[in-house]
Amino acid sequence: MEIREKTLSNEKIYDGKIMKIHKDTVELPNGNQAFREIVEHSGGVCVLPLTDCRNIILVEQFRYPFAKAILEIPAGKLELAERHNPLECGKRELFEETGYHAKEFVSLGEFYPTPAYCTEVIHMYLAKGLYVENAHNNDLTPQNHLDDDEFLNVIKLPVSKILEMILGGEIPDGKTQAAVLKSKVLGHFSDVV
Amino acid sequence: MEIREKTLSNEKIYDGKIMKIHKDTVELPNGNQAFREIVEHSGGVCVLPLTDCRNIILVEQFRYPFAKAILEIPAGKLELAERHNPLECGKRELFEETGYHAKEFVSLGEFYPTPAYCTEVIHMYLAKGLYVENAHNNDLTPQNHLDDDEFLNVIKLPVSKILEMILGGEIPDGKTQAAVLKSKVLGHFSDVV
């Protein structure tokens, strides 16, 4: 069955800082009409930072929609100028949020968080060979240039512990689940766990 | 570091069919103020239907934000009355979208698709022991009671093929990646692949 929907008209609802909202009238495959409420988002990048010592670096961040702090891998919003270079955004977010650079980045593919109503695509990467510039002690992870409204704690946990937490339902963040589980099934942890 | 944000005021932006939008002014941990643009969503359920013959049932659906059809596991929005019983919603969506019932449902935990700006929680389930009521042939999958604006194709693929597609980046839907990979790592496919 051909299941395409055709845009008939577009009503702008909101033009904000991180999202635009519009409500479109569409023609359905059967010729009837329906509405689609759409969140436009510029997309994002997430990075799974894997240390040489069997740890993953997470950030603990207050997530206002849930009124609590949750654990996630480092991530950020793609600026318009970065749309065609998500890896640069990933390198920047990793450094800004954790203080780490990485020698190697491996693409883990794309992640559509809510394809029913939002245009956001998250580009996922695994980062290996982590290092801190000019540091005498690699346990130092100075955060750099966080956004003005961004506050977070950096937390280092063993890969085995994070897998246990994900399988036990203790890490609800979707991109973190996908990036960690995909790395596990792809064998990226096989030399460390 | 204590990283709680405190709501100072709330501006209603939009009250739609599947989402409400509001813009809140918050007090940050350092005492400064910032805005949070929030999508309120009633939440959802997704079901990974695993047949006794090593297949997974997927639905191919046109996703308007991406202007294309994509493959996903069956899923649907939680109605307000179902908020405290997501499993009932999962059973309903599985039947409505694929025509299948299941003898056993296993919780795969919660999935926050976009905790930065949206309240949506997706409850994930694995469904085993699939059957079609009053059917002489289990290959029949009559769809039942789809929503008026819902059109989809039901597609049955081997677990091994779906894993290959996810690892190869061919299934970008986030909840599908998480539910399939989690089932794989938990060993739910071990007796079938």
Side-chain angles (χ1 to χ4, degrees):
Chain A
M1 178 175 63
E2 171 61 51
I3 49 178
R4 178 157 286 275
E5 296 173 1
K6 194 177 143 194
T7 308
L8 298 177
S9 66
N10 172 300
E11 179 192 350
K12 288 185 174 57
I13 304 283
Y14 177 64
D15 188 352
K17 187 184 168 197
I18 66 158
M19 64 180 76
K20 292 179 184 184
I21 313 292
H22 55 93
K23 183 179 174 182
D24 289 13
T25 306
V26 304
E27 185 181 291
L28 299 171
N30 65 359
N32 289 349
Q33 291 186 12
F35 296 112
R36 296 287 175 236
E37 295 165 323
I38 304 300
V39 178
E40 293 247 1
H41 186 281
S42 62
V45 174
C46 66
V47 178
L48 170 53
L50 178 65
T51 75
D52 296 340
C53 321
R54 311 180 182 203
N55 289 306
I56 288 174
I57 315 292
L58 296 169
V59 293
E60 184 197 36
Q61 226 174 332
F62 186 80
R63 291 309 200 176
Y64 188 78
F66 293 97
K68 67 181 180 188
I70 66 171
L71 281 178
E72 302 171 40
I73 54 175
K77 201 168 82 76
L78 265 178
E79 302 304 327
L80 260 182
E82 296 170 324
R83 285 196 93 148
H84 302 294
N85 200 345
L87 178 55
E88 283 311 305
C89 173
K91 289 178 179 175
R92 179 174 52 75
E93 291 290 345
L94 175 64
F95 177 62
E96 288 178 3
E97 295 196 346
T98 71
Y100 280 103
H101 298 279
K103 288 179 192 144
E104 190 186 351
F105 286 83
V106 181
S107 172
L108 295 174
E110 293 183 343
F111 176 98
Y112 296 179
T114 47
Y117 61 85
C118 180
T119 63
E120 181 172 8
V121 176
I122 298 174
H123 304 266
M124 301 187 288
Y125 295 96
L126 173 70
K128 297 195 287 190
L130 302 186
Y131 64 96
V132 179
E133 246 171 24
N134 302 324
H136 299 291
N137 179 347
N138 259 351
D139 278 339
L140 284 175
T141 59
Q143 290 164 322
N144 290 278
H145 314 295
L146 284 175
D147 291 342
D148 285 346
D149 61 353
E150 201 170 32
F151 296 84
L152 47 82
N153 296 319
V154 177
I155 290 171
K156 199 189 284 188
L157 288 172
V159 169
S160 55
K161 173 67 181 168
I162 291 182
L163 274 167
E164 189 189 306
M165 290 172 77
I166 288 177
L167 299 180
E170 291 172 69
I171 297 188
D173 178 52
K175 63 185 176 300
T176 302
Q177 292 185 26
V180 170
L181 292 169
K182 201 165 180 181
S183 296
K184 166 70 178 166
V185 177
L186 281 168
H188 288 303
F189 302 147
S190 60
D191 51 346
V192 288
V193 285
Chain B
M1 181 174 64
E2 171 60 52
I3 49 178
R4 178 157 285 276
E5 296 173 2
K6 194 178 143 193
T7 308
L8 298 177
S9 67
N10 170 299
E11 180 192 349
K12 289 187 172 59
I13 304 282
Y14 177 64
D15 188 353
K17 187 182 168 197
I18 65 159
M19 65 180 76
K20 292 179 183 183
I21 313 292
H22 54 94
K23 182 180 173 182
D24 290 12
T25 306
V26 302
E27 185 181 290
L28 299 172
N30 65 0
N32 288 348
Q33 292 187 10
F35 296 113
R36 296 286 175 237
E37 295 165 324
I38 305 299
V39 178
E40 292 248 0
H41 186 282
S42 62
V45 174
C46 66
V47 178
L48 170 53
L50 179 65
T51 76
D52 296 339
C53 321
R54 310 183 182 202
N55 289 307
I56 288 174
I57 315 293
L58 296 170
V59 293
E60 184 196 37
Q61 225 174 334
F62 185 78
R63 289 310 198 177
Y64 188 78
F66 293 98
K68 67 181 181 189
I70 67 172
L71 281 179
E72 301 170 42
I73 55 174
K77 201 167 80 74
L78 266 179
E79 302 304 328
L80 261 183
E82 296 171 324
R83 285 195 94 150
H84 302 293
N85 201 345
L87 178 56
E88 283 311 304
C89 173
K91 289 177 178 175
R92 178 173 52 76
E93 290 291 345
L94 175 65
F95 177 62
E96 288 178 4
E97 295 196 346
T98 71
Y100 280 104
H101 298 280
K103 288 180 194 144
E104 188 186 353
F105 286 82
V106 181
S107 172
L108 295 173
E110 293 184 342
F111 176 97
Y112 295 179
T114 46
Y117 60 85
C118 180
T119 63
E120 182 172 7
V121 176
I122 299 174
H123 303 266
M124 302 188 289
Y125 295 95
L126 173 69
K128 297 194 287 189
L130 303 185
Y131 64 96
V132 180
E133 247 171 21
N134 303 322
H136 298 292
N137 179 345
N138 259 351
D139 278 341
L140 284 175
T141 60
Q143 290 164 319
N144 291 280
H145 314 294
L146 283 176
D147 291 341
D148 285 346
D149 61 352
E150 200 171 34
F151 297 86
L152 46 83
N153 296 318
V154 177
I155 290 170
K156 197 187 287 189
L157 288 172
V159 169
S160 55
K161 173 67 180 168
I162 291 180
L163 274 167
E164 187 189 308
M165 290 172 79
I166 287 176
L167 298 180
E170 291 173 69
I171 296 190
D173 178 51
K175 64 185 177 297
T176 303
Q177 293 184 26
V180 171
L181 292 169
K182 201 165 180 181
S183 295
K184 166 71 178 167
V185 177
L186 281 168
H188 289 303
F189 302 147
S190 60
D191 51 344
V192 290
V193 285

